[in-house]
Structures are given as C-alpha cells and as structure tokens.
Amino acid sequence: MTTVGFIGSGHIGSTIARLAIAAGHQVVLSNSRGPETLADTAAGLGPRASAATSGEAAAAGDIVVVTVPVKSFPNLPAAPLAGKTVIDTCNYGPERDGHIPELDSKSLTSSELLLRYLPDAMVVKAFNNIFFKHLLSLARPAGAADRSYLPIAGDSAPAKAAVTEFIESIGYSAVDVGPLADSWRQATGTPVWGTPYGPASNEKGQPVGLDAIRVALATATR
C-alpha cells in the first residue's frame, strides 16, 4: 500500500484519488482553500482518505500528485517535496495562467518549469493527456485485453518506475516518453492529448493500446 498525497483536488486529482483508493492505497487530499473545504470529498472517498494542508499532504505522500494551475507553481511547498516522487498532471494555458515567457518560447516544458520550483523532487509527467471522466471509466484490471496506456516522462528512472507501478495498480499501463524535455509530446493540443481516448461527449471513452499511443507520440510536432 502506498500513501498518495495530492496538492490540488480538482477533477483529475479527485479521480486519481478515487482510483487509488479502489486499488488499496491511502490518499491525503489538499487544495488552496484549506482542508475543511475537502471534508465532504474525503468522507465520500472513505476511511483511507483524509484532508490536510498542502504541506501536510506533501510530507505524508510516498508519491505526491501536483495538479494545480501552472501559475500556482511558485506557491508549492518545496521543502517537504524534497526527495519525493512527484507526479505532474498540469497543463499550461496562457488564458488561465498568464503568459510565461519560457513556456511561450518553448525553451522549457511546463514540467521542467515545475522542477525549477521543486529542484530536489523527482518529477514525472503523467495523467495530463486524458479527460478525467475517461480516466475513471477506462481503468481495467491487470491482464485485461482492453487495458489503456498513458504516457509518462521524467528524468529519474527510479521515479518513473514508481509512477509506472502506481499507474499499473490503478488500472492502466504506462508508455515511457523519455525525459522531461520530451514531455511536450503529451502536452495540450498534441495528437496524444485527449483524442485517442475519444471525444469528451462520450463519457465512457474508448480503450487505447500501446501502438496507438506510440504513433500519437511520434507524430507530435513542436
């Protein structure tokens, strides 16, 4: 059993938490508004879920999921995330985040920017390319013929191994995209972002195998 901390508990965060609990993990939820605002969410997830401050969630997690707007990166609790495997689910959107020169110029990926704020963490990009309703509905047990694949990127082999193990535990298989510098291949608007799993109007989505994800990643342009 793994304890998974969440910094941000919106659609993607709460969906990952729900899948994690179903797989037998503990979850510690946090958001920017305080743990009292997550009391109902935690109660609904059951006894393996609790709510905390972002610093407490960071400290508690064996793995920590960061799922916040990119503009919120400077507010993350860097100290308790030192040495931790951090899953970055975040997508850059200038209309929400404001313009960030390094991202606009493509000199950095958003995950590399996150690493600047969390220099002692081991960041792995994952879960940023799938609609939250599809993430919930497409989970399948190990060995299922229609198990879907999710891309991951990171610079730390041990962290990628830990994230792959977690992804496999909650109903998916992982495809290694490469280092964080290549995580743009799964960013907003790329062929692997959303489309392979079906339109948002189809809430159940469609399973996506390894070959289809690899083709989508290979055809991405920057």
mmCIF file of all heavy atoms in Angstrom, residues 16-54:
data_model
loop_
_atom_site.group_PDB
_atom_site.id
_atom_site.type_symbol
_atom_site.label_atom_id
_atom_site.label_comp_id
_atom_site.label_asym_id
_atom_site.label_seq_id
_atom_site.Cartn_x
_atom_site.Cartn_y
_atom_site.Cartn_z
ATOM 1 N N ILE A 16 -7.982 10.524 -9.710
ATOM 2 C CA ILE A 16 -6.842 9.669 -9.367
ATOM 3 C C ILE A 16 -6.988 9.150 -7.944
ATOM 4 O O ILE A 16 -6.716 7.982 -7.659
ATOM 5 C CB ILE A 16 -5.520 10.433 -9.541
ATOM 6 C CG1 ILE A 16 -5.311 10.851 -11.002
ATOM 7 C CG2 ILE A 16 -4.337 9.568 -9.083
ATOM 8 C CD1 ILE A 16 -4.146 11.803 -11.218
ATOM 9 N N ALA A 17 -7.444 10.018 -7.032
ATOM 10 C CA ALA A 17 -7.637 9.597 -5.639
ATOM 11 C C ALA A 17 -8.655 8.467 -5.552
ATOM 12 O O ALA A 17 -8.453 7.488 -4.814
ATOM 13 C CB ALA A 17 -8.080 10.786 -4.793
ATOM 14 N N ARG A 18 -9.730 8.586 -6.287
ATOM 15 C CA ARG A 18 -10.777 7.552 -6.266
ATOM 16 C C ARG A 18 -10.233 6.215 -6.779
ATOM 17 O O ARG A 18 -10.482 5.163 -6.181
ATOM 18 C CB ARG A 18 -11.953 8.018 -7.128
ATOM 19 C CG ARG A 18 -13.145 7.083 -7.132
ATOM 20 C CD ARG A 18 -14.303 7.751 -7.861
ATOM 21 N NE ARG A 18 -15.385 6.823 -8.113
ATOM 22 C CZ ARG A 18 -16.495 7.135 -8.771
ATOM 23 N NH1 ARG A 18 -16.660 8.376 -9.216
ATOM 24 N NH2 ARG A 18 -17.434 6.241 -8.972
ATOM 25 N N LEU A 19 -9.463 6.262 -7.870
ATOM 26 C CA LEU A 19 -8.872 5.038 -8.405
ATOM 27 C C LEU A 19 -7.842 4.465 -7.437
ATOM 28 O O LEU A 19 -7.730 3.246 -7.277
ATOM 29 C CB LEU A 19 -8.221 5.327 -9.761
ATOM 30 C CG LEU A 19 -9.169 5.669 -10.910
ATOM 31 C CD1 LEU A 19 -8.370 6.122 -12.130
ATOM 32 C CD2 LEU A 19 -10.060 4.486 -11.275
ATOM 33 N N ALA A 20 -7.079 5.354 -6.790
ATOM 34 C CA ALA A 20 -6.054 4.902 -5.844
ATOM 35 C C ALA A 20 -6.684 4.174 -4.656
ATOM 36 O O ALA A 20 -6.189 3.131 -4.222
ATOM 37 C CB ALA A 20 -5.224 6.091 -5.376
ATOM 38 N N ILE A 21 -7.750 4.724 -4.139
ATOM 39 C CA ILE A 21 -8.419 4.082 -3.004
ATOM 40 C C ILE A 21 -8.997 2.729 -3.410
ATOM 41 O O ILE A 21 -8.889 1.749 -2.676
ATOM 42 C CB ILE A 21 -9.502 5.021 -2.442
ATOM 43 C CG1 ILE A 21 -8.822 6.132 -1.643
ATOM 44 C CG2 ILE A 21 -10.504 4.269 -1.575
ATOM 45 C CD1 ILE A 21 -9.745 7.206 -1.166
ATOM 46 N N ALA A 22 -9.563 2.660 -4.606
ATOM 47 C CA ALA A 22 -10.086 1.383 -5.088
ATOM 48 C C ALA A 22 -8.985 0.334 -5.214
ATOM 49 O O ALA A 22 -9.245 -0.870 -5.096
ATOM 50 C CB ALA A 22 -10.785 1.578 -6.436
ATOM 51 N N ALA A 23 -7.756 0.804 -5.427
ATOM 52 C CA ALA A 23 -6.618 -0.112 -5.552
ATOM 53 C C ALA A 23 -5.962 -0.415 -4.207
ATOM 54 O O ALA A 23 -4.969 -1.141 -4.153
ATOM 55 C CB ALA A 23 -5.587 0.489 -6.504
ATOM 56 N N GLY A 24 -6.497 0.168 -3.126
ATOM 57 C CA GLY A 24 -5.999 -0.143 -1.796
ATOM 58 C C GLY A 24 -5.002 0.833 -1.217
ATOM 59 O O GLY A 24 -4.426 0.584 -0.157
ATOM 60 N N HIS A 25 -4.788 1.965 -1.902
ATOM 61 C CA HIS A 25 -3.862 2.969 -1.406
ATOM 62 C C HIS A 25 -4.546 3.911 -0.409
ATOM 63 O O HIS A 25 -5.775 4.020 -0.379
ATOM 64 C CB HIS A 25 -3.290 3.789 -2.560
ATOM 65 C CG HIS A 25 -2.589 2.976 -3.598
ATOM 66 N ND1 HIS A 25 -1.462 2.235 -3.324
ATOM 67 C CD2 HIS A 25 -2.857 2.783 -4.915
ATOM 68 C CE1 HIS A 25 -1.058 1.616 -4.431
ATOM 69 N NE2 HIS A 25 -1.888 1.930 -5.408
ATOM 70 N N GLN A 26 -3.739 4.612 0.361
ATOM 71 C CA GLN A 26 -4.207 5.720 1.196
ATOM 72 C C GLN A 26 -4.043 7.014 0.409
ATOM 73 O O GLN A 26 -3.072 7.151 -0.347
ATOM 74 C CB GLN A 26 -3.369 5.823 2.476
ATOM 75 C CG GLN A 26 -3.445 4.621 3.384
ATOM 76 C CD GLN A 26 -4.535 4.751 4.448
ATOM 77 O OE1 GLN A 26 -5.302 5.692 4.447
ATOM 78 N NE2 GLN A 26 -4.578 3.800 5.357
ATOM 79 N N VAL A 27 -4.934 7.995 0.614
ATOM 80 C CA VAL A 27 -4.776 9.290 -0.038
ATOM 81 C C VAL A 27 -4.927 10.403 0.987
ATOM 82 O O VAL A 27 -5.718 10.305 1.932
ATOM 83 C CB VAL A 27 -5.773 9.491 -1.209
ATOM 84 C CG1 VAL A 27 -5.670 8.358 -2.215
ATOM 85 C CG2 VAL A 27 -7.191 9.634 -0.727
ATOM 86 N N VAL A 28 -4.145 11.458 0.788
ATOM 87 C CA VAL A 28 -4.220 12.666 1.606
ATOM 88 C C VAL A 28 -4.450 13.833 0.648
ATOM 89 O O VAL A 28 -3.583 14.149 -0.182
ATOM 90 C CB VAL A 28 -2.942 12.883 2.431
ATOM 91 C CG1 VAL A 28 -3.092 14.132 3.302
ATOM 92 C CG2 VAL A 28 -2.636 11.663 3.297
ATOM 93 N N LEU A 29 -5.614 14.441 0.746
ATOM 94 C CA LEU A 29 -6.028 15.494 -0.185
ATOM 95 C C LEU A 29 -5.711 16.872 0.361
ATOM 96 O O LEU A 29 -5.787 17.110 1.565
ATOM 97 C CB LEU A 29 -7.534 15.411 -0.432
ATOM 98 C CG LEU A 29 -8.101 14.066 -0.911
ATOM 99 C CD1 LEU A 29 -9.613 14.126 -0.924
ATOM 100 C CD2 LEU A 29 -7.568 13.718 -2.286
ATOM 101 N N SER A 30 -5.381 17.798 -0.536
ATOM 102 C CA SER A 30 -5.245 19.198 -0.141
ATOM 103 C C SER A 30 -5.640 20.085 -1.309
ATOM 104 O O SER A 30 -5.684 19.646 -2.460
ATOM 105 C CB SER A 30 -3.813 19.516 0.301
ATOM 106 O OG SER A 30 -2.928 19.578 -0.811
ATOM 107 N N ASN A 31 -5.935 21.327 -1.002
ATOM 108 C CA ASN A 31 -6.178 22.333 -2.026
ATOM 109 C C ASN A 31 -5.759 23.694 -1.482
ATOM 110 O O ASN A 31 -5.238 23.801 -0.371
ATOM 111 C CB ASN A 31 -7.645 22.323 -2.502
ATOM 112 C CG ASN A 31 -8.623 22.683 -1.397
ATOM 113 O OD1 ASN A 31 -8.263 23.239 -0.365
ATOM 114 N ND2 ASN A 31 -9.887 22.356 -1.606
ATOM 115 N N SER A 32 -5.988 24.734 -2.262
ATOM 116 C CA SER A 32 -5.548 26.067 -1.860
ATOM 117 C C SER A 32 -6.492 26.726 -0.862
ATOM 118 O O SER A 32 -6.161 27.770 -0.301
ATOM 119 C CB SER A 32 -5.411 26.965 -3.097
ATOM 120 O OG SER A 32 -6.672 27.081 -3.759
ATOM 121 N N ARG A 33 -7.640 26.106 -0.603
ATOM 122 C CA ARG A 33 -8.660 26.740 0.239
ATOM 123 C C ARG A 33 -8.696 26.182 1.664
ATOM 124 O O ARG A 33 -9.439 26.681 2.495
ATOM 125 C CB ARG A 33 -10.044 26.599 -0.415
ATOM 126 C CG ARG A 33 -10.120 27.237 -1.789
ATOM 127 C CD ARG A 33 -11.536 27.205 -2.351
ATOM 128 N NE ARG A 33 -12.087 25.862 -2.398
ATOM 129 C CZ ARG A 33 -11.832 24.980 -3.361
ATOM 130 N NH1 ARG A 33 -11.004 25.293 -4.342
ATOM 131 N NH2 ARG A 33 -12.391 23.788 -3.334
ATOM 132 N N GLY A 34 -7.922 25.136 1.923
ATOM 133 C CA GLY A 34 -7.865 24.589 3.271
ATOM 134 C C GLY A 34 -8.572 23.254 3.396
ATOM 135 O O GLY A 34 -9.526 22.963 2.662
ATOM 136 N N PRO A 35 -8.126 22.421 4.346
ATOM 137 C CA PRO A 35 -8.653 21.056 4.464
ATOM 138 C C PRO A 35 -10.130 20.987 4.800
ATOM 139 O O PRO A 35 -10.799 20.013 4.431
ATOM 140 C CB PRO A 35 -7.799 20.439 5.581
ATOM 141 C CG PRO A 35 -7.142 21.575 6.276
ATOM 142 C CD PRO A 35 -7.011 22.668 5.276
ATOM 143 N N GLU A 36 -10.655 22.002 5.469
ATOM 144 C CA GLU A 36 -12.071 21.957 5.830
ATOM 145 C C GLU A 36 -12.967 21.948 4.596
ATOM 146 O O GLU A 36 -14.081 21.415 4.634
ATOM 147 C CB GLU A 36 -12.425 23.137 6.746
ATOM 148 C CG GLU A 36 -12.305 24.508 6.123
ATOM 149 C CD GLU A 36 -10.878 25.050 6.096
ATOM 150 O OE1 GLU A 36 -9.957 24.358 6.595
ATOM 151 O OE2 GLU A 36 -10.692 26.162 5.567
ATOM 152 N N THR A 37 -12.475 22.503 3.476
ATOM 153 C CA THR A 37 -13.279 22.529 2.251
ATOM 154 C C THR A 37 -13.279 21.165 1.543
ATOM 155 O O THR A 37 -14.029 20.977 0.588
ATOM 156 C CB THR A 37 -12.770 23.600 1.276
ATOM 157 O OG1 THR A 37 -11.452 23.247 0.816
ATOM 158 C CG2 THR A 37 -12.733 24.966 1.951
ATOM 159 N N LEU A 38 -12.446 20.244 2.009
ATOM 160 C CA LEU A 38 -12.365 18.918 1.409
ATOM 161 C C LEU A 38 -12.952 17.834 2.303
ATOM 162 O O LEU A 38 -12.846 16.649 1.994
ATOM 163 C CB LEU A 38 -10.902 18.569 1.093
ATOM 164 C CG LEU A 38 -10.282 19.354 -0.053
ATOM 165 C CD1 LEU A 38 -8.773 19.191 -0.051
ATOM 166 C CD2 LEU A 38 -10.870 18.918 -1.388
ATOM 167 N N ALA A 39 -13.574 18.247 3.400
ATOM 168 C CA ALA A 39 -14.099 17.267 4.352
ATOM 169 C C ALA A 39 -15.125 16.342 3.703
ATOM 170 O O ALA A 39 -15.086 15.119 3.904
ATOM 171 C CB ALA A 39 -14.711 17.978 5.553
ATOM 172 N N ASP A 40 -16.035 16.899 2.932
ATOM 173 C CA ASP A 40 -17.058 16.070 2.290
ATOM 174 C C ASP A 40 -16.450 15.137 1.250
ATOM 175 O O ASP A 40 -16.856 13.965 1.133
ATOM 176 C CB ASP A 40 -18.130 16.949 1.647
ATOM 177 C CG ASP A 40 -19.007 17.644 2.677
ATOM 178 O OD1 ASP A 40 -18.975 17.250 3.859
ATOM 179 O OD2 ASP A 40 -19.710 18.611 2.300
ATOM 180 N N THR A 41 -15.489 15.661 0.478
ATOM 181 C CA THR A 41 -14.826 14.832 -0.531
ATOM 182 C C THR A 41 -14.114 13.657 0.110
ATOM 183 O O THR A 41 -14.243 12.509 -0.332
ATOM 184 C CB THR A 41 -13.815 15.670 -1.340
ATOM 185 O OG1 THR A 41 -14.496 16.760 -1.963
ATOM 186 C CG2 THR A 41 -13.132 14.832 -2.405
ATOM 187 N N ALA A 42 -13.364 13.933 1.186
ATOM 188 C CA ALA A 42 -12.644 12.865 1.875
ATOM 189 C C ALA A 42 -13.611 11.853 2.472
ATOM 190 O O ALA A 42 -13.392 10.634 2.389
ATOM 191 C CB ALA A 42 -11.744 13.457 2.956
ATOM 192 N N ALA A 43 -14.694 12.351 3.072
ATOM 193 C CA ALA A 43 -15.680 11.446 3.664
ATOM 194 C C ALA A 43 -16.296 10.549 2.599
ATOM 195 O O ALA A 43 -16.534 9.353 2.826
ATOM 196 C CB ALA A 43 -16.753 12.239 4.381
ATOM 197 N N GLY A 44 -16.557 11.124 1.423
ATOM 198 C CA GLY A 44 -17.146 10.344 0.343
ATOM 199 C C GLY A 44 -16.226 9.276 -0.197
ATOM 200 O O GLY A 44 -16.685 8.260 -0.729
ATOM 201 N N LEU A 45 -14.912 9.488 -0.059
ATOM 202 C CA LEU A 45 -13.944 8.513 -0.547
ATOM 203 C C LEU A 45 -13.708 7.373 0.444
ATOM 204 O O LEU A 45 -13.161 6.337 0.073
ATOM 205 C CB LEU A 45 -12.613 9.210 -0.856
ATOM 206 C CG LEU A 45 -12.614 10.114 -2.089
ATOM 207 C CD1 LEU A 45 -11.326 10.930 -2.153
ATOM 208 C CD2 LEU A 45 -12.787 9.301 -3.370
ATOM 209 N N GLY A 46 -14.081 7.590 1.696
ATOM 210 C CA GLY A 46 -13.998 6.503 2.671
ATOM 211 C C GLY A 46 -12.839 6.646 3.635
ATOM 212 O O GLY A 46 -12.113 7.646 3.640
ATOM 213 N N PRO A 47 -12.633 5.639 4.476
ATOM 214 C CA PRO A 47 -11.694 5.739 5.593
ATOM 215 C C PRO A 47 -10.229 5.824 5.191
ATOM 216 O O PRO A 47 -9.389 6.190 6.016
ATOM 217 C CB PRO A 47 -11.963 4.465 6.405
ATOM 218 C CG PRO A 47 -12.594 3.519 5.441
ATOM 219 C CD PRO A 47 -13.382 4.360 4.500
ATOM 220 N N ARG A 48 -9.893 5.482 3.957
ATOM 221 C CA ARG A 48 -8.500 5.589 3.530
ATOM 222 C C ARG A 48 -8.170 6.969 2.971
ATOM 223 O O ARG A 48 -7.060 7.197 2.478
ATOM 224 C CB ARG A 48 -8.158 4.500 2.508
ATOM 225 C CG ARG A 48 -8.025 3.118 3.137
ATOM 226 C CD ARG A 48 -7.273 2.152 2.233
ATOM 227 N NE ARG A 48 -8.014 1.890 1.007
ATOM 228 C CZ ARG A 48 -8.907 0.919 0.872
ATOM 229 N NH1 ARG A 48 -9.198 0.141 1.901
ATOM 230 N NH2 ARG A 48 -9.516 0.731 -0.279
ATOM 231 N N ALA A 49 -9.118 7.901 3.045
ATOM 232 C CA ALA A 49 -8.895 9.269 2.564
ATOM 233 C C ALA A 49 -8.930 10.243 3.724
ATOM 234 O O ALA A 49 -9.704 10.078 4.674
ATOM 235 C CB ALA A 49 -9.958 9.652 1.537
ATOM 236 N N SER A 50 -8.098 11.259 3.668
ATOM 237 C CA SER A 50 -8.112 12.335 4.654
ATOM 238 C C SER A 50 -7.785 13.641 3.964
ATOM 239 O O SER A 50 -7.265 13.655 2.842
ATOM 240 C CB SER A 50 -7.116 12.061 5.779
ATOM 241 O OG SER A 50 -5.800 11.966 5.274
ATOM 242 N N ALA A 51 -8.090 14.748 4.628
ATOM 243 C CA ALA A 51 -7.807 16.081 4.101
ATOM 244 C C ALA A 51 -6.769 16.753 4.976
ATOM 245 O O ALA A 51 -6.721 16.538 6.195
ATOM 246 C CB ALA A 51 -9.083 16.920 4.049
ATOM 247 N N ALA A 52 -5.923 17.575 4.365
ATOM 248 C CA ALA A 52 -4.817 18.203 5.081
ATOM 249 C C ALA A 52 -4.418 19.478 4.364
ATOM 250 O O ALA A 52 -4.988 19.838 3.323
ATOM 251 C CB ALA A 52 -3.632 17.238 5.150
ATOM 252 N N THR A 53 -3.430 20.177 4.912
ATOM 253 C CA THR A 53 -2.832 21.299 4.196
ATOM 254 C C THR A 53 -1.934 20.750 3.091
ATOM 255 O O THR A 53 -1.564 19.564 3.101
ATOM 256 C CB THR A 53 -1.998 22.177 5.129
ATOM 257 O OG1 THR A 53 -0.846 21.411 5.577
ATOM 258 C CG2 THR A 53 -2.802 22.629 6.350
ATOM 259 N N SER A 54 -1.540 21.610 2.172
ATOM 260 C CA SER A 54 -0.676 21.150 1.085
ATOM 261 C C SER A 54 0.672 20.675 1.619
ATOM 262 O O SER A 54 1.224 19.677 1.134
ATOM 263 C CB SER A 54 -0.494 22.251 0.038
ATOM 264 O OG SER A 54 0.081 23.402 0.614
#
